[in-house]
């Protein structure tokens, strides 16, 4: 069956293509870099449990809300919102929900591509290393055998010190993204997802099995699922988990509205929402189960125990992927090839997300300014490249430039500010407005005709969208932003 918006030549060619593209957008650096880093920084179990709570009670209902507004609206995120608002007799200003999200998606793209550029850089390192190992017939040994541990630990700092290289890798990644988006929904975005996502799933399974056999799997399980109840009540852990749940499902960023608009009428959106959320959450957890066993395997027993007890922290943040992991690959059998496969896997996940991040604003701007897709894509991609390039100086010359040194931005350079601003403010605000709009403002018959739900499931969904989502997001936003409120 042809895509829903066939009149404009835009639309998924099948239900599978829609699900793969949506899962491709959801599964990305958020699952593979941000989730393990946040789980590590927020004490493991407490964060993971609150994260799953947020996915089920907030993420899933909002995912359905966003896709249904898009499918009914058949336009860009903002256009779709306007149309549904108008048909419901409400103000077109509600489209601000999509506007905030679209700005969020665009800002995420700026730094996302910088990070993905680091992945490209590490793919290069591991390709060279694999070739060396093949030549020396040492493929079953650890990776990077010709370097000391200190040298491996210095790979990321060395990249940070080298602005030219960082900008070059960022440019390569952005160029690939622009190329795919410029080719259109069916001809570019869908193809990327349909080809890369199956390979991605194969790779992550191979790496997880490898980690289970060669790494400290039990310790990783304990770290991710044993929780310290006291941390569960910490508002900053809650805000992080909520932000991460929205970020990881690509919610509050106009995207699921945009992708929903390309979905055919006969697709059951409730069902696909469950599939998308399940796939994304599984990948986050599996990523944790792939990464932590490998990292924990190289830790001394005492410091591992301290991490499990919560008295010490995992080296969190980006160091997890770009420092701890390469060190671990150095010590593990077949490290070169596993390292190479690992970074290729992350690259595939990043690309299916970056095309979506760009599409959120491209789909709006092509209509708004009535310009050809390729031109709009190049202009928006180019602008995102420049902003991201500037943010990349946060890792060298502008590391001490912290223009907004307060609340969640405290001590953050530009790069971190964009991340915090999007995940902890823009995405939650957009999601909050979506929930209020779909729950209270939009015409009920219109909503009911799109959501594919009936009976008890329908009542549960409506209850979550009307009461739980707005209340929980509002409370978490306020207490997370203004920690003093609780005292
Ligand atoms: N979900 C993506 C990830 O986990 C990041 C993301 C957030 C995103 N909002 C988006 C991707 C909008 C595409 C579109 O990496």
């Amino acid at each position: 069956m042809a895509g829903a918006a066939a009149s404009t030549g835009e639309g998924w060619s099948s239900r599978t293509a829609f699900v793969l593209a949506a899962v491709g957008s959801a599964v990305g650096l958020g699952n593979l870099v941000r989730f393990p880093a946040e789980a590590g920084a927020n004490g493991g179990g407490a964060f993971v449990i609150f994260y799953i709570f947020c996915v089920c009670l907030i993420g899933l209902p909002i995912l359905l809300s966003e896709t249904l507004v898009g499918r009914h609206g058949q336009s860009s995120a903002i256009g779709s919102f306007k149309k549904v608002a108008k048909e419901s007799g409400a103000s077109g200003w509600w489209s601000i929900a999509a506007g905030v999200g679209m700005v969020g998606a665009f800002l995420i793209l700026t730094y996302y591509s910088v990070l993905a550029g680091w992945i490209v850089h590490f793919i290069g390192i591991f390709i060279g290393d694999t070739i060396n190992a093949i030549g020396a017939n040492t493929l079953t040994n650890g990776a990077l055998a010709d370097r000391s541990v200190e040298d491996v630990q210095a790979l990321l700092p060395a990249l940070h010190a080298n602005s030219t290289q960082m900008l070059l890798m960022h440019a390569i990644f952005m160029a690939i993204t622009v190329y795919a988006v410029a080719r259109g929904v069916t001809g570019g975005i869908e193809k990327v997802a349909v080809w890369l996502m199956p390979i991605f799933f194969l790779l992550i399974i191979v790496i997880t099995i490898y980690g289970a056999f060669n790494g400290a799997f039990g310790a990783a399980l304990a770290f991710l699922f044993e929780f310290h109840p006291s941390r569960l009540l910490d508002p900053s852990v809650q805000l992080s988990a909520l932000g991460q749940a929205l970020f990881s499902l690509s919610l509050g960023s106009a995207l699921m509205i945009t992708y929903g608009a390309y979905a055919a009428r006969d697709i059951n959106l409730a069902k696909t929402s469950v599939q998308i959320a399940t796939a994304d959450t599984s990948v986050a957890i599996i990523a944790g189960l792939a990464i932590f066993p490998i990292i924990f395997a190289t830790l001394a027993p005492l410091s591992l125990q301290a991490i499990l007890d919560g008295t010490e922290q995992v080296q969190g943040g980006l160091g997890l992927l770009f420092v701890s992991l390469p060190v671990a690959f150095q010590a593990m059998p077949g490290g070169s090839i596993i390292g190479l496969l690992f970074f290729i896997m992350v690259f595939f996940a990043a690309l299916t997300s970056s095309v979506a991040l760009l599409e959120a604003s491209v789909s709006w701007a092509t209509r708004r300014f009535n310009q050809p897709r390729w031109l709009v894509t190049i202009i928006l991609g180019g602008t995102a490249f420049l902003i991201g390039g500037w943010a990349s100086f946060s890792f060298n010359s502008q590391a001490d430039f912290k223009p907004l040194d307060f609340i969640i931005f405290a001590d953050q350079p530009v790069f971190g500010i964009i991340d915090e601003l999007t995940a902890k403010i823009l995405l939650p605000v957009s999601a909050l407005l979506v929930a209020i709009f779909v729950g209270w403002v939009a015409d009920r018959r219109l909503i009911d005709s799109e959501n594919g739900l009936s009976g008890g499931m329908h009542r549960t969904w409506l209850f979550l969208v009307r009461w739980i989502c707005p209340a929980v997001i509002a409370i978490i936003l306020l207490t997370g932003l203004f920690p003093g409120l609780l005292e």
Side-chain angles (χ1 to χ4, degrees):
M1 135 119 221
S7 54
T8 56
E10 313 248 55
W12 309 118
S13 50
S14 66
R15 181 181 181 279
T16 315
F18 168 53
V19 175
L20 280 178
V23 170
S25 113
V27 170
L29 297 177
N31 306 62
L32 302 166
V33 183
R34 210 171 184 284
F35 177 78
E38 293 277 315
N42 291 298
F47 173 85
V48 175
I49 287 165
F50 202 74
Y51 173 80
I52 293 175
F53 168 87
C54 288
V55 168
C56 298
L57 294 189
I58 296 171
L60 194 51
I62 291 189
L63 179 54
L64 176 55
S65 307
E66 291 200 359
T67 45
L68 77 78
V69 168
R71 193 187 40 205
H72 191 83
Q74 291 293 307
S75 180
S76 69
I78 292 182
S80 296
F81 239 96
K82 278 205 178 117
K83 176 163 176 226
V84 174
K86 215 166 100 204
E87 286 181 19
S88 308
S91 158
W93 279 104
W94 279 102
S95 62
I96 206 112
V100 171
M102 194 178 81
V103 171
F106 185 78
L107 286 176
I108 292 173
L109 176 65
T110 65
Y111 76 84
Y112 208 84
S113 169
V114 175
L115 271 182
W118 303 0
I119 302 286
V120 177
H121 177 78
F122 274 76
I123 289 180
I125 294 176
F126 276 88
I127 288 180
D129 188 54
T130 304
I131 293 175
N132 285 345
I134 293 175
N137 219 348
T138 54
L139 212 50
T140 50
N141 296 359
L144 308 163
D146 51 343
R147 299 177 210 237
S148 67
V149 175
E150 289 73 35
D151 284 350
V152 175
Q153 284 169 335
L155 287 172
L156 183 67
L159 175 62
H160 286 172
N162 186 346
S163 261
T164 322
Q165 173 73 2
M166 228 186 335
L167 288 175
L168 181 67
M169 297 294 124
H170 169 43
I172 291 176
F173 186 82
M174 190 65 88
I176 301 175
T177 303
V178 166
Y179 177 74
V181 174
R183 301 207 48 166
V185 177
T186 333
I189 297 175
E190 174 177 318
K191 289 227 161 60
V192 170
V194 170
W195 283 98
L196 298 190
M197 286 317 285
I199 309 180
F200 168 84
F201 281 112
L202 195 69
L203 286 176
I204 195 167
I205 290 170
V206 168
I207 293 168
T208 310
I209 294 176
Y210 170 89
F213 280 105
N214 296 290
F217 200 71
L221 272 183
F223 174 72
L224 286 171
F225 296 110
E226 249 172 40
F227 72 105
H228 306 276
S230 58
R231 301 226 59 187
L232 203 56
L233 299 172
D234 180 345
S236 81
V237 172
Q238 293 173 359
L239 182 61
S240 298
L242 172 71
Q244 176 62 19
L246 296 175
F247 183 93
S248 191
L249 291 171
S250 303
L251 297 175
S253 42
L255 189 269
M256 289 297 176
I257 312 174
T258 310
Y259 272 17
Y262 305 138
R265 285 234 54 91
D266 59 350
I267 291 178
N268 182 320
L269 293 178
K271 223 173 166 177
T272 49
S273 298
V274 173
Q275 288 168 339
I276 296 163
T278 310
D280 184 66
T281 309
S282 313
V283 170
I285 306 247
I286 293 174
L289 292 178
I291 292 169
F292 286 111
I294 298 179
I295 287 172
F296 287 165
T298 57
L299 290 180
L302 266 185
S303 50
L304 179 57
Q305 196 52 50
I307 286 172
L308 295 181
D309 293 342
T311 49
E312 229 178 74
Q313 287 217 344
V314 193
Q315 189 203 13
L318 302 166
L320 203 60
L321 214 72
F322 297 98
V323 180
S324 309
L325 212 51
V327 169
F329 288 137
Q330 196 181 28
M332 301 188 82
S336 310
I337 192 83
I338 293 290
L340 178 59
L341 293 179
F342 182 87
F343 284 107
I344 289 179
M345 167 189 89
V346 181
F347 173 78
F348 284 180
L351 190 63
T352 52
S353 298
S354 64
V355 294
L357 285 165
L358 184 52
E359 176 65 15
S361 47
V362 165
S363 117
W364 170 77
T366 43
R367 293 174 166 91
R368 172 73 179 72
F369 302 106
N370 201 13
Q371 293 296 326
R373 168 175 277 269
W374 65 267
L375 181 64
V376 171
T377 309
I378 290 177
I379 293 176
L380 287 172
T383 312
F385 168 76
L386 292 178
I387 300 176
W390 177 51
S392 77
F393 297 134
S394 294
F395 296 99
N396 43 59
S397 54
Q398 295 187 357
D400 295 321
F401 177 54
K402 292 164 183 164
L404 300 176
D405 202 355
F406 52 85
I407 49 171
I408 59 168
F409 304 123
D411 215 26
Q412 294 280 4
V414 173
F415 195 93
I417 289 178
I418 302 180
D419 181 26
E420 299 278 302
L421 170 70
T422 48
K424 293 185 180 167
I425 299 181
L426 298 182
L427 271 44
V429 166
S430 169
L432 178 65
L433 292 174
V434 167
I436 296 174
F437 177 77
V438 171
W440 298 100
V441 180
D443 182 79
R444 291 260 61 84
R445 264 166 318 182
L446 182 162
I447 298 294
D448 294 351
S449 70
E450 292 284 351
N451 65 13
L453 288 169
S454 56
M457 292 301 284
H458 183 244
R459 281 194 297 276
T460 310
W461 174 73
L462 198 59
F463 176 74
L464 292 172
V465 172
R466 283 195 155 168
W467 299 100
I468 304 298
C469 296
V472 174
I473 297 177
I475 292 172
I476 295 181
L477 249 177
L478 290 174
T479 53
L481 290 179
F482 308 103
L485 278 185
L486 279 190
E487 276 137 32

